[in-house]
Amino acid sequence: MAELETVWRRKTDDTLLEAAARLHEFSDDAQRAITTEIERRKSPEYLREQHARTTAAPTRPRGMPASVPAYTASPAWLAKRAMLAVVLMVGFYLFATTIALVLLWLPYGEWVYIGRLHIKLAAFSVIGGLTIMWSLVPRVDRFTPPGPRLDRATHPRLFDLIQRVAAATRQEVPAEVYLLNEVNAWVTERGGVMGFGSRRVMGIGLPLMQSVSVAEFEAIIAHEFGHYCAGDVKLGPWIYKTRAAIGRTITGVGDTLIAAPFLWYGGHFLRLTHAISRQQEFIADRMAAGVAGAAAMSSALKRVSAAGQLFPAYLDQEVGPVLNAGFLPPVSAGFQEFLGSERIGVVSAQLVADAEEAETTDPFDTHPCLRDRLAALDTVSGPNRTNASTEPAAALVGNADAHARALLEAVAGADAIRKLKPIEWDAVGTAVYATRWRERVHQHWAWLGRFTTHTLPAGKDGFITAGTDLPGTDQESLNGDERAARAAQLLAASVAVMLVDDGWRVHTRPGLPLTLERAARSFDPFAAIDALANGRLSHEGWLAECEGLGIAGRALGKAAPVFVPKHDARQPLPA
């Protein structure tokens, strides 16, 4: 299981989403590894990890060529490699069938030619051979709609744009178009077996449409139609089914000697087919540039690069706590506001800058790095649309919050969503976070009772000691920083409750920090206590702060507040 998790950690987001759509084709262990990795990439910790990795990565000096060409324009190059991929696909099935037949023949040969039968060897051979043969059987593509289906009658502007791009690329309009809850768009042919008897399907993310303009969205749709033009969608099912068969075979034979040749073959197959996938992305980018302009495609790539990482953070940090508290905020409008906030704008710009400075593309990536894609687009000529629409693409579907609700219902069920109480973002601070703080203070009022605002610990060591004494935690599993952070969060929550009881109002909106406000004063108790714990605020400075707030010498956890239902606390967005 650990090896499978390592393998899926190397995959791109698109590859993971493709795998999730075909989850039934994988073994139980592989399904768990895929879903675990998808959930991990939704976490704020993953976003911080991506920041750290891209910032720390060495950059290639400007002017230095990449280790491999960013884009190979020759159709012959792609044709040869596509043919080689087909040969390798056929070769794999012949290779695997041969191994399976040899394994099945071994017990027979031992009995006929040696006159004996080793039971354990026979069982190993027969089980291994049958496992390989079963892994090679193509699975029927059972298509599960990934979200609500869209139609021309209710979304004429969207389908007019799709029709316009289809005409420009001389392709048929997809038979079905679905709305997704992700920063992504894709085209595929679903149904049938190995691509036969399939139909064209398109998926369009609502948060993607909120992240880009109409002109940029047109470039994205043209990019997707570029995959149809290049025949990627025809070749894709064959490649994907072969990858799945290799994966099932490796999983089925486990950590035995039989796995070695399949690991070797699978590694070479993935390197080759992923290289083809990257070239197909370059070709689709050029198609998009020819239809909507290179500037629109470049801008779209940058926006999607940042929004793809910000949307999971928005769901986890802004929406998740509100849903867990039993409320339903305007999710779509909140994401639009989240992206438009100054604080998130800084994070977004940094994400794009980091992505543009990426060194190279991993041989196992299905998409080129942003830097190489932008460099390739710089060499493309196309229409220069000075009057391109800057209207948010979400306007093409209208009433984005109704669509966001439908997406939530598709995931959680209509009954579960109906039970949530509607709430505006202005009311979230008091209804959700102040309630959460009171619950935490109630749980630990005895521990808090040892402190007053004047006797809080100062510095990391003091907070580590305080956190070590905090009951109800598994101290052996926490390091010093984690113990200090738990103590700081709880002490800050107690100070926040004290101020709310004094008439301060909790204020927050998507993309903004949690603050307490009264009259013209704004105060962030969590930032202040964190500064005290990490030495950025002295003990004397904290005492002065308490004097100004009117809480000097006040006791924390003096009495147990009224208990309220539990829900998740919000985690801070990385700066």
Side-chain angles (χ1 to χ4, degrees):
M1 184 63 183
E3 292 181 0
L4 279 174
E5 290 181 354
T6 300
V7 168
W8 283 102
R9 283 201 173 199
R10 295 177 62 88
K11 303 297 185 183
T12 63
D13 290 344
D14 288 340
T15 302
L16 276 169
L17 292 171
E18 290 173 3
R22 302 170 183 262
L23 202 60
H24 64 278
E25 298 179 0
F26 295 88
S27 66
D28 291 343
D29 284 345
Q31 289 182 26
R32 284 192 290 271
I34 292 166
T35 54
T36 296
E37 180 58 17
I38 289 174
E39 290 303 314
R40 186 183 77 86
R41 295 192 186 187
K42 293 179 181 178
S43 68
E45 290 75 15
Y46 176 74
L47 185 57
R48 287 193 288 269
E49 175 187 313
Q50 294 300 101
H51 267 288
R53 189 181 71 170
T54 53
T55 303
T59 57
R60 183 171 66 232
R62 295 189 181 277
M64 290 290 289
S67 57
V68 294
Y71 169 68
T72 304
S74 170
W77 184 95
L78 193 60
K80 289 178 181 178
R81 277 151 183 78
M83 181 62 68
L84 183 55
V86 172
V87 170
L88 282 176
M89 283 186 280
V90 174
F92 168 73
Y93 286 98
L94 292 175
F95 174 72
T97 301
T98 300
I99 293 177
L101 292 176
V102 169
L103 288 171
L104 293 172
W105 181 86
L106 282 177
Y108 171 80
E110 185 184 21
W111 176 258
V112 172
Y113 296 104
I114 302 179
R116 67 181 186 187
L117 184 64
H118 192 288
I119 298 300
K120 289 185 177 179
L121 177 61
F124 173 81
S125 299
V126 171
I127 292 173
L130 293 177
T131 298
I132 294 172
M133 295 299 289
W134 175 246
S135 299
L136 299 182
V137 176
R139 271 48 171 180
V140 175
D141 186 0
R142 298 180 180 87
F143 179 66
T144 301
R149 184 174 175 179
L150 305 177
D151 58 65
R152 175 178 285 279
T154 52
H155 306 95
R157 291 188 63 194
L158 172 65
F159 279 82
D160 284 346
L161 184 147
I162 294 174
Q163 180 67 58
R164 185 167 66 250
V165 173
T169 56
R170 299 181 180 180
Q171 293 295 311
E172 295 179 5
V173 174
E176 300 167 13
V177 179
Y178 291 94
L179 195 64
L180 315 174
N181 193 35
E182 58 194 57
V183 184
N184 191 25
W186 46 257
V187 291
T188 187
E189 292 194 2
R190 303 305 303 269
V193 178
M194 298 296 283
F196 294 108
S198 59
R199 63 192 184 281
R200 288 188 171 188
V201 176
M202 173 177 281
I204 300 170
L206 177 60
L208 166 72
M209 300 182 77
Q210 291 185 273
S211 307
V212 299
S213 67
V214 170
E216 292 163 341
F217 181 69
E218 183 177 0
I220 291 171
I221 297 301
H223 170 97
E224 298 306 326
F225 272 96
H227 288 301
Y228 283 132
C229 293
D232 309 354
V233 178
K234 290 291 185 185
L235 183 63
W238 291 82
I239 292 177
Y240 193 89
K241 293 286 186 181
T242 306
R243 290 177 189 167
I246 294 173
R248 288 194 301 269
T249 303
I250 293 172
T251 302
V253 298
D255 297 327
T256 63
L257 292 175
I258 303 174
F262 292 105
L263 288 169
W264 173 83
Y265 199 106
H268 284 79
F269 183 83
L270 289 176
R271 288 178 71 95
L272 173 71
T273 56
H274 286 182
I276 293 173
S277 295
R278 292 193 296 273
Q279 291 301 322
Q280 290 169 337
E281 292 302 321
F282 284 123
I283 293 171
D285 284 349
R286 293 173 74 88
M287 173 67 72
V291 172
M297 188 61 207
S298 295
S299 177
L301 287 174
K302 293 178 183 180
R303 289 186 185 275
V304 171
S305 175
Q309 299 181 66
L310 292 171
F311 183 62
Y314 167 72
L315 291 180
D316 287 343
Q317 300 167 20
E318 306 282 358
V319 178
V322 184
L323 297 181
N324 290 333
F327 297 98
L328 179 63
V331 176
S332 185
F335 185 53
Q336 201 78 54
E337 185 175 344
F338 181 83
L339 291 176
S341 70
E342 181 179 355
R343 177 168 169 255
I344 301 306
V346 172
V347 175
S348 178
Q350 186 60 54
L351 287 172
V352 173
D354 290 344
E356 287 190 71
E357 290 298 322
E359 175 70 12
T360 56
T361 300
D362 189 280
F364 289 96
D365 286 342
T366 58
H367 285 59
C369 65
L370 177 63
R371 178 174 182 167
D372 287 346
R373 295 180 76 174
L374 294 176
L377 283 169
D378 284 343
T379 66
V380 179
S381 59
N384 182 17
R385 298 184 175 178
T386 56
N387 61 342
S389 174
T390 59
E391 181 184 20
L396 297 175
V397 295
N399 199 349
D401 273 308
H403 288 300
R405 182 186 180 108
L407 288 167
L408 287 173
E409 290 178 352
V411 174
D415 289 341
I417 300 303
R418 276 195 292 268
K419 292 177 182 178
L420 300 176
K421 183 179 179 181
I423 189 174
E424 294 300 322
W425 285 108
D426 277 337
V428 164
T430 298
V432 175
Y433 295 109
T435 301
R436 171 61 176 167
W437 298 335
R438 290 190 184 280
E439 177 212 346
R440 297 184 68 189
V441 170
H442 168 81
Q443 290 174 336
H444 299 286
W445 67 270
W447 179 85
L448 288 164
R450 70 179 68 180
F451 301 105
T452 70
T453 55
H454 278 191
T455 62
L456 294 187
K460 181 62 66 69
D461 291 342
F463 275 83
I464 290 175
T465 300
T468 300
D469 295 335
L470 184 58
T473 59
D474 184 4
Q475 298 297 345
E476 293 182 358
S477 66
L478 302 178
N479 59 35
D481 287 343
E482 290 169 333
R483 299 181 192 191
R486 291 178 72 92
Q489 286 286 309
L490 185 52
L491 291 168
S494 182
V495 171
V497 169
M498 187 182 299
L499 292 173
V500 169
D501 288 343
D502 283 354
W504 291 67
R505 184 176 70 90
V506 184
H507 178 264
T508 187
R509 292 193 66 86
L512 298 180
L514 279 162
T515 57
L516 297 177
E517 297 182 350
R518 187 172 68 178
R521 178 93 191 261
S522 178
F523 178 67
D524 184 345
F526 292 89
I529 298 296
D530 181 73
L532 182 64
N534 289 285
R536 298 190 305 274
L537 177 64
S538 67
H539 184 65
E540 291 73 19
W542 169 248
L543 295 181
E545 193 79 76
C546 291
E547 291 287 345
L549 295 169
I551 58 172
R554 299 262 292 271
L556 278 64
K558 187 173 182 180
V562 177
F563 177 78
V564 291
K566 185 182 294 185
H567 63 82
D568 292 341
R570 181 164 107 172
Q571 299 295 322
L573 188 75

